[in-house]
Amino acid sequence: MVATNGMKRIVIEPVTRVEGHGKVTILLDEKKQVQQARLHIVEFRGFERFIQGRPFWEVPVLVQRLCGICPVSHHLAAAKAMDWIVGGEKLTPTAEKMRRLMHYGQFFQSHALHFFHLASPDLLFGKPGDPLSGFAADVAIRNVIGVAAKFPDLAVQGVMMRKYGQEVILRTAGKKIHGTGAIPGGINKNLSITERDFLLKDIDQMVEWSRSAVKIAKDYTVEHLEKLAPFGSFDSNHLSLIREDGAMDIYHGNLRAIDSVGKKIFDQVDYQRYLDYIGEEVRPWSYMKFPFIRSLGPEKGWYRVGPLARVNTADFIDTPEAEAARKEFMAVTKGKPNNISMAYHWARMIELLHSIERIKELLHDKDLQGTDLVAKGERRDEGVGLLEAPRGTLFHHYRVNKDDQVVMANLIVSTTSNNEPMNRAVAKVAKDHLSGVEITEGLLNHVEVAIRAYDPCLSCATHALGQMPLTVELVDHEGNLVSTRSKN
Amino acid sequence: MSDTINFIIDGVEIQGREGQTILEAAEAAGIYIPRLCHLKGLTPHGSCRVCTVLVNGRPQASCTQPVAEGIVVESESERVQQIRRDIIDMLFVEGNHFCMFCEKSGNCELQAMAYRFGIPTPKFPYQFPKRGVDASHPDIFVDHNRCILCGRCVRASRDLDGKHVFDFVDRGPHKRVAVNAEARLADTNLDASDKATEVCPVGAILRKRVGYAVPVGKRLYDEKPIGSDIEAAKTK
């Protein structure tokens, strides 16, 4: 461990209860003040390289293996790029609605998983009036098992909601995980009446539970706003896809970026031209790239993606209950973008409700039983596919040679976009809560909670080679190891 | 004189005919003997050895071994099953078979065989051979990573298409399927309608741009294990 610029490094590794693994380095200066934080990701995944040479129609099925939590995002983003390759980007109504149903199903299960299984232990065990005490609650209870013991109804809801989302995916993609439903230019199946009726059976229960999840997240945030607002928070730009009329649309749209007070940086940008607007920077200490808005440069052009960004960028949500929830959410910041890290949880639950409202709508749409499944047109050699994954905007970009082989792939996953924001969140938490040069259990947990708000999928942004124990190292500005703290 | 030949498979008396192989006679009697290189309509090849049976105690490839009066054939015994299981295992580790994203999944005879034999993962170490793909042909994609050297394409091209597009080159562990051209499939006279393009049991020779068109659940081996059609004939 080499210390630079007269700073000390405090290392926390890995972050537990995020999908995948991470390590945190907090850099201190000689005065023991926090200068910077790095969510330190050195693992390398390599998908962009090893799909080169593979036939393009294989890619939507292959690249989704990046992740086991939201593979549907990669499956669909790649399929959307391949739609361009086969000239079938204008999908048939059945194909588009089947894909949307698959995507909403995935949103529902992924958001339920994150809120109930990963995040709720942080939110449920605080002392009255002191939410931050919950972040440092005994690790023996601050986990999903602890939630199940103290809040059994909630734990069951989380499991059943996740299951419901997976059932939607099964009936649209063919499998609950890593299906094959989306093919270049369309979809390989429709929704049978039997499948539709199966999904309709529990839909009202799911809507009801989603409403109550929004309420839990809202009440928690509003009740503790004073203490949560500064926690890991900072002003930032926000980016997402947006429908042409300004509505939130997680499957398809154009790019919109706004600054921290809501001024548009760009709007309705055709994502086939994303490279004109988004650049990527490489830093020596991480395999993750750092995307930025070109017009603002790498220093100021970083942005947030995901539920918070999407609720901030949207003019409205086109399902009634989620729209009502959005209005309440925006009222907290008087209609301006919400820059509170912990508000991600509330925004995520608004999207959960939106997803289930859309699923209900779609299940009543007869187009899902249509038989026109695939569109084809003029063959192209390049395609970009974007969608809003549960964790944020997902970019897939491919070039294909005349023999149908992939020759170039560029993926920007949501966690990569949230890379710098997570660093900022950790730095903020460390600045506010680090005292002295000792990492307390409490601080360690605070850092984790801040990162977890972003729901990072580190295995998706890169990949961990084996599991590491949680270790905290304190290194002084001359590079000497001062103390080590470990936790399993 | 009758041309019926009486012999025994796993204790059951079977009547075969002169000129039949053990595999054919068994099949006619509704007994499925697993096979990969063998395909009805192609000259028996005897190369994959998955159809190995014990004939009077000696291992033989049942797809090439003719029936003979009074022989005692062991097919379903644990010893024979173990031989077959090991052969299937070796076929997996010799190539680069990634069923999880292969478009042949669900329609692949090798994968189906592994399921039939209850092989979740090979017991032998993966060899990870370095093999290439040939995407040059406008309609056909060849992925040598998945080739099991069954020779079906070689025989179909030669015997059914009369073309000789494919053949084996090199020997031993270096043996591979090559094309009748300097290097690329595009330079052969292979046509997308050739029989040779339809016989591959694995995902080595594929029609381009149609992968994954059949949804999971509707694929050849999604519902019923490989060989069940032959066994169903016996039940009737």
Side-chain angles (χ1 to χ4, degrees):
Chain A
M1 179 84 38
V2 183
T4 53
N5 308 327
M7 293 180 191
K8 271 178 199 183
R9 284 185 185 187
I10 297 169
V11 184
I12 302 172
E13 66 179 338
V15 178
T16 58
R17 273 196 287 129
V18 295
E19 299 298 337
H21 303 98
K23 182 178 79 166
V24 171
T25 307
I26 301 163
L27 298 170
L28 303 181
D29 64 13
E30 281 179 314
K31 291 175 185 163
K32 296 169 188 165
Q33 297 300 305
V34 175
Q35 284 299 313
Q36 207 188 74
R38 294 170 177 176
L39 180 57
H40 197 103
I41 296 169
V42 294
E43 300 85 3
F44 181 65
R45 202 84 208 258
F47 269 76
E48 291 168 339
R49 179 64 189 87
F50 67 64
I51 62 165
Q52 288 177 19
R54 299 308 308 171
F56 71 78
W57 56 89
E58 197 177 81
V59 173
V61 179
L62 200 169
V63 290
Q64 64 177 335
R65 295 274 163 180
L66 270 161
C67 185
I69 301 294
C70 73
V72 168
S73 306
H74 291 288
H75 181 55
L76 290 177
K80 286 181 81 176
M82 295 316 166
D83 292 345
W84 277 81
I85 301 290
V86 300
E89 71 277 6
K90 286 196 174 53
L91 296 177
T92 67
T94 304
E96 175 168 340
K97 286 172 184 174
M98 281 295 284
R99 285 194 190 177
R100 279 183 178 273
L101 182 61
M102 193 195 303
H103 194 43
Y104 291 118
Q106 149 181 260
F107 248 71
F108 192 69
Q109 68 85 13
S110 177
H111 278 3
L113 167 80
H114 182 264
F115 186 71
F116 289 96
H117 298 186
L118 305 178
S120 76
D122 298 331
L123 314 183
L124 294 172
F125 294 112
K127 298 187 189 91
D130 184 9
L132 271 51
S133 67
F135 306 166
D138 184 359
V139 287
I141 59 156
R142 195 171 54 93
N143 54 49
V144 70
I145 306 294
V147 173
K150 196 167 173 197
F151 308 95
D153 291 351
L154 218 52
V156 168
Q157 283 176 25
V159 172
M160 297 307 286
M161 289 165 88
R162 175 129 206 264
K163 182 171 188 296
Y164 185 83
Q166 299 283 39
E167 297 288 357
V168 173
I169 297 169
L170 168 67
R171 281 157 187 83
T172 46
K175 285 165 73 187
K176 287 180 179 171
I177 303 173
H178 301 139
T180 63
I183 54 178
I187 194 92
N188 67 12
K189 75 186 288 290
N190 64 8
L191 192 76
S192 71
I193 299 287
T194 318
E195 290 170 321
R196 181 199 67 186
D197 292 347
F198 177 87
L199 295 173
L200 277 172
K201 196 162 44 76
D202 293 327
I203 188 79
D204 290 329
Q205 179 66 78
M206 293 302 144
V207 174
E208 177 56 38
W209 283 345
S210 303
R211 268 182 215 129
S212 75
V214 173
K215 186 170 181 329
I216 293 169
K218 183 189 90 176
D219 290 351
Y220 172 81
T221 315
V222 172
E223 192 182 322
H224 303 112
L225 192 61
E226 201 181 319
K227 287 193 169 155
L228 289 180
F231 184 82
S233 294
F234 49 89
D235 286 351
S236 80
N237 306 311
H238 300 270
L239 177 130
S240 82
L241 287 179
I242 204 88
R243 207 165 71 184
E244 278 175 8
D245 60 358
M248 174 188 280
D249 192 338
I250 58 175
Y251 175 74
H252 192 65
N254 297 313
L255 283 167
R256 171 182 284 179
I258 58 169
D259 68 12
S260 62
V261 292
K263 200 170 133 261
K264 291 193 177 78
I265 302 165
F266 54 71
D267 196 16
Q268 299 298 346
V269 165
D270 176 1
Y271 62 67
Q272 295 299 318
R273 295 167 51 222
Y274 80 102
L275 278 176
D276 295 341
Y277 294 84
I278 306 288
E280 289 181 272
E281 190 191 25
V282 176
R283 295 184 193 170
W285 46 272
S286 177
Y287 281 130
M288 270 220 286
K289 295 172 290 190
F290 288 79
F292 60 92
I293 294 162
R294 282 190 190 277
S295 63
L296 301 176
E299 279 299 311
K300 292 186 174 165
W302 55 274
Y303 55 86
R304 277 191 269 205
V305 297
L308 184 71
R310 284 188 290 254
V311 174
N312 280 333
T313 54
D315 297 335
F316 66 100
I317 299 177
D318 68 346
T319 56
E321 295 198 41
E323 171 61 5
R326 186 195 70 88
K327 282 181 174 153
E328 287 185 321
F329 181 92
M330 296 311 288
V332 168
T333 48
K334 300 186 171 52
K336 292 287 177 195
N338 184 320
N339 287 290
I340 303 169
S341 285
M342 289 302 283
Y344 260 97
H345 296 296
W346 183 4
R348 196 170 285 119
M349 289 305 94
I350 293 171
E351 292 187 336
L352 178 92
L353 182 57
H354 172 56
S355 304
I356 201 69
E357 285 184 287
R358 289 306 301 273
I359 290 171
K360 188 173 177 179
E361 249 176 60
L362 280 166
L363 288 176
H364 287 101
D365 192 325
K366 296 241 178 316
D367 280 345
L368 285 174
Q369 280 79 48
T371 51
D372 192 4
L373 303 181
V374 181
K376 287 244 158 42
E378 197 182 329
R379 169 76 150 72
R380 299 189 184 92
D381 59 6
E382 187 163 4
V384 178
L386 255 73
L387 51 68
E388 287 294 329
R391 288 151 187 81
T393 317
L394 174 63
F395 301 65
H396 277 223
H397 178 194
Y398 303 96
R399 276 193 211 109
V400 173
N401 66 15
K402 67 172 180 48
D403 290 338
D404 298 327
Q405 293 171 286
V406 174
V407 290
M408 188 287 294
N410 187 37
L411 313 181
I412 307 177
V413 304
S414 15
T415 298
T416 304
S417 290
N418 272 340
N419 197 355
E420 183 62 25
M422 286 190 287
N423 290 341
R424 303 277 170 153
V426 172
K428 179 66 167 40
V429 166
K431 271 178 193 161
D432 292 348
H433 299 280
L434 179 71
S435 58
V437 288
E438 198 187 343
I439 299 266
T440 58
E441 188 81 14
L443 176 74
L444 198 147
N445 293 331
H446 280 31
V447 167
E448 284 185 35
V449 169
I451 293 171
R452 197 173 300 127
Y454 290 80
D455 190 10
C457 178
L458 301 180
S459 71
C460 163
T462 63
H463 187 248
L465 297 168
Q467 195 159 353
M468 296 176 287
L470 177 62
T471 305
V472 183
E473 286 183 341
L474 181 56
V475 181
D476 72 15
H477 64 279
E478 289 171 330
N480 302 313
L481 185 69
V482 178
S483 67
T484 304
R485 190 185 176 113
S486 291
K487 144 179 154 177
N488 291 317
Chain B
M1 182 182 134
S2 157
D3 65 353
T4 301
I5 294 174
N6 298 295
F7 69 106
I8 290 170
I9 298 182
D10 294 330
V12 179
E13 228 171 85
I14 306 284
Q15 277 80 49
R17 285 180 289 104
E18 183 72 41
Q20 267 185 327
T21 62
I22 294 173
L23 184 141
E24 285 166 343
E27 188 165 323
I31 296 170
Y32 173 70
I33 298 178
R35 79 292 300 265
L36 283 172
C37 70
H38 180 78
L39 185 68
K40 225 176 257 178
L42 296 178
T43 321
H45 201 233
S47 61
C48 77
R49 315 308 276 190
V50 171
C51 71
T52 296
V53 290
L54 295 184
V55 179
N56 295 339
R58 289 185 58 198
Q60 299 284 356
S62 64
C63 73
T64 51
Q65 185 70 20
V67 290
E69 188 67 32
I71 54 170
V72 177
V73 177
E74 230 179 272
S75 177
E76 290 294 309
S77 68
E78 184 45 39
R79 188 178 161 205
V80 175
Q81 295 292 76
Q82 191 54 51
I83 291 171
R84 292 173 183 163
R85 208 175 281 127
D86 287 351
I87 290 167
I88 294 161
D89 253 354
M90 285 189 275
L91 288 172
F92 269 102
V93 302
E94 267 176 6
N96 298 310
H97 298 277
F98 298 106
C99 300
M100 74 287 277
F101 67 79
C102 178
E103 64 186 88
K104 191 79 174 192
S105 259
N107 297 311
C108 172
E109 294 181 38
L110 178 64
Q111 182 194 45
M113 207 60 83
Y115 278 127
R116 187 182 168 101
F117 279 85
I119 302 171
T121 186
K123 67 178 181 183
F124 300 117
Y126 287 103
Q127 303 296 301
F128 297 119
K130 205 169 160 52
R131 296 192 196 161
V133 300
D134 184 343
S136 62
H137 194 281
D139 301 310
I140 301 296
F141 182 81
V142 177
D143 189 341
H144 292 285
N145 289 290
R146 301 166 181 159
C147 180
I148 57 168
L149 302 175
C150 68
R152 284 190 192 178
C153 57
V154 175
R155 286 173 282 156
S157 184
R158 182 189 64 209
D159 301 340
L160 304 179
D161 302 327
K163 285 190 177 176
H164 215 114
V165 169
F166 300 102
D167 211 341
F168 291 116
V169 293
D170 292 338
R171 297 180 68 82
H174 306 294
K175 186 172 175 175
R176 63 193 166 88
V177 169
V179 296
N180 186 18
E182 195 65 36
R184 307 179 326 146
L185 191 63
D187 302 327
T188 69
N189 57 348
L190 182 79
D191 189 86
S193 62
D194 285 357
K195 289 282 180 220
T197 65
E198 297 169 7
V199 294
C200 182
V202 292
I205 299 178
L206 296 162
R207 203 162 295 277
K208 279 186 167 182
R209 300 176 293 275
V210 295
Y212 316 100
V214 179
V216 176
K218 304 274 185 201
R219 301 170 307 182
L220 203 51
Y221 303 116
D222 279 337
E223 294 291 334
K224 290 179 182 164
I226 191 167
S228 54
D229 50 339
I230 292 169
E231 289 164 333
K234 185 184 182 182
T235 321
K236 281 175 195 163

